[in-house]
Amino acid sequence: MTLPILIVGAGIAGLTLALELASRNIPTRVIERAPILKDIGAGLQLPPNASRILDRHPGIAEALDAVSTQPEALRFIDGRTGSSIARMPLGEAALTRWGAPYRVIHRASLQRVLLEAVQGAGIHVKPRTELIGLSDGAGGLTAQVRIDDQMEIMEAAAIVGADGLHSNVRQLIAPDSHPRYTGHTAWRAIIDTRSLPSAPRVVETGLWLGPQAHLVHYPISGGEHLNMVAITRGGENDTDPEALKQAFASWCPQAKALVHRARDWKPWPLFERDGRGLWGHGRVTLLGDAAHAMLPHLAQGAAQAIEDAGVLAAKLAGNPGNPGLALRYYEHDRRSRAVAVQAQSRRNGQIYQLSRPASLARNTVLRVSGANRLMARVDWLYAADAL
């Protein structure tokens, strides 16, 4: 390819794709409409299927290990009683079973690691640059972009929309396509662990299960902070923190204390994009949330975007003379995986928020499963090598 691949969006999806393309000597440009590295989104999880792809790049594993935590286990907890239901080992057990680490990390830290690696590969990331139009015809593929207040035309071999849920690229190729509100809201907050009356001694991810809501927390920033995510049901505009506290009013004192201790809850209405729909046409395609935004109940949003990036880069490298064909191969290979992960994420949300008596049966199944069976249930997800 003599023309570059134009990546729209410098989030995790776009930066991972830029890194993957650079490792294959494919020319790349990255544009981002916002200033880069806005410190939003709090923490995220990097399961082994994502770490496996990132760690292939020189220096990335060491950089990630310096700013992330590897929890020793995922602990299921009854939100009504506060009692432990089951424990799935992670840490060394994850590395042994799935061949790559299970990390938790602040989103901005991951983005910073990726940005530094991309810049080290000689790729310039251009902020405050917005895609406003594209043309894919006999005369070539061009993008119309606005840089601050000036207009510019960019030529490209292909355009990849890695610009999130409300993707500009998607609106240009499928203007009637809109994300679907799922009836759930994710409330996110970070707690300074020094403020906790008794900081957790064991580095674990906690998953509290309860009626109509569930709560997830895990350590980030080397254990200095606890990342909190509370999932509730309600309308898209239910953003009153009192409604959040009410959702946990019947929970055990330990869970309520965690919810009340976090002072700055930020609501994120949760949307989905059906992965069975259009991903692209011609020499344009979509990546990550722009293609298949999913619920966070399987902690796979970032991981699936990273898998997308690895597969797309491999397809472009394998078809250098026909980028349009490479995009269709990528979409074909990734669609069934993304749809399966979306479906399991939905099921998990239903299972986590069961009321009695169904919740008692769920807890019993978790208790009797044992560590090996719990791990086996996610082998299809964590052991998979997208490349």
Side-chain angles (χ1 to χ4, degrees):
M1 296 180 192
T2 55
L3 291 174
I5 305 299
L6 177 61
I7 302 171
V8 182
I12 292 166
L15 291 175
T16 303
L17 177 59
L19 187 61
E20 289 286 324
L21 292 172
S23 71
R24 294 168 172 84
N25 298 313
I26 297 176
T28 306
R29 297 184 73 175
V30 183
I31 62 173
E32 167 59 49
R33 60 184 167 188
I36 296 170
L37 277 183
K38 291 200 304 184
D39 195 7
I40 60 172
L44 59 81
Q45 303 187 52
L46 278 180
N49 55 307
S51 290
R52 179 175 296 110
I53 293 174
L54 296 178
D55 288 1
R56 285 190 171 104
H57 298 277
I60 290 289
E62 295 79 6
L64 289 175
D65 287 341
V67 293
S68 67
T69 302
Q70 296 184 31
E72 298 175 14
L74 167 63
R75 186 174 297 277
F76 297 88
I77 307 165
D78 189 314
R80 282 288 183 87
T81 67
S83 61
S84 177
I85 302 170
R87 182 179 184 273
M88 186 179 81
L90 295 174
E92 286 298 323
L95 191 58
T96 299
R97 186 178 186 108
W98 298 307
Y102 195 117
R103 299 180 174 104
V104 291
I105 189 171
H106 196 288
R107 180 178 293 271
S109 297
L110 172 59
Q111 194 171 349
R112 190 173 297 110
V113 167
L114 293 173
L115 179 61
E116 290 175 357
V118 166
Q119 291 173 332
I123 298 172
H124 176 62
V125 180
K126 195 168 185 61
R128 296 183 298 278
T129 304
E130 182 178 8
L131 178 75
I132 59 172
L134 60 85
S135 175
D136 186 5
L141 177 62
T142 59
Q144 298 85 48
V145 302
R146 180 167 50 222
I147 305 172
D148 294 325
D149 293 327
Q150 297 185 348
M151 306 299 294
E152 183 177 320
I153 300 296
M154 295 181 177
E155 292 184 300
I159 295 176
V160 181
D163 48 345
L165 179 68
H166 302 290
S167 165
N168 270 7
V169 177
R170 187 176 192 113
Q171 284 302 305
L172 290 170
I173 63 173
D176 296 328
S177 171
H178 301 286
R180 179 185 69 86
Y181 177 59
T182 62
H184 291 79
T185 297
W187 299 77
R188 304 180 188 276
I190 293 177
I191 300 177
D192 188 329
T193 53
R194 293 172 296 184
S195 71
L196 296 174
S198 56
R201 295 180 181 178
V202 180
V203 180
E204 293 183 338
T205 294
L207 173 54
W208 300 67
L209 312 180
Q212 308 297 308
H214 65 277
L215 178 67
V216 182
H217 58 70
Y218 47 83
I220 57 173
S221 307
E224 294 181 5
H225 298 99
L226 200 64
N227 187 74
M228 303 274 294
V229 185
I231 309 292
T232 62
R233 300 185 186 184
E236 183 179 344
N237 298 314
D238 291 345
T239 57
D240 185 349
E242 289 304 314
L244 167 67
K245 294 175 182 177
Q246 186 60 36
F248 293 91
S250 63
W251 285 44
C252 67
Q254 306 97 300
K256 286 193 290 187
L258 284 171
V259 171
H260 284 264
R261 189 165 292 277
R263 303 296 185 190
D264 192 22
W265 286 102
K266 292 181 174 61
W268 294 69
L270 296 177
F271 292 83
E272 275 188 324
R273 282 196 180 278
D274 190 345
R276 296 168 298 183
L278 178 139
W279 286 29
H281 62 71
R283 288 169 286 181
V284 182
T285 195
L286 303 170
L287 193 73
D289 282 353
H292 50 66
M294 58 188 62
L295 288 165
H297 311 325
L298 202 54
Q300 281 288 313
Q304 289 306 300
I306 291 167
E307 285 191 9
D308 285 351
V311 172
L312 177 52
K315 298 302 182 186
L316 285 166
N319 299 272
N322 194 337
L325 183 63
L327 303 190
R328 302 294 85 77
Y329 283 153
Y330 147 74
E331 293 162 6
H332 178 270
D333 282 10
R334 289 295 301 154
R335 191 183 304 275
S336 60
R337 169 84 163 169
V339 168
V341 174
Q342 282 184 316
Q344 188 59 55
S345 297
R346 284 186 223 108
R347 284 193 290 269
N348 278 8
Q350 295 166 353
I351 293 168
Y352 294 165
Q353 298 188 4
L354 289 172
S355 301
R356 292 186 176 184
S359 63
L360 298 176
R362 173 202 64 204
N363 293 357
T364 299
V365 170
L366 286 171
R367 284 194 185 97
V368 302
S369 291
N372 187 63
R373 194 172 297 175
L374 288 173
M375 297 178 83
R377 288 179 177 175
V378 288
D379 280 345
W380 70 278
L381 195 58
Y382 298 161
D385 187 341
L387 302 184

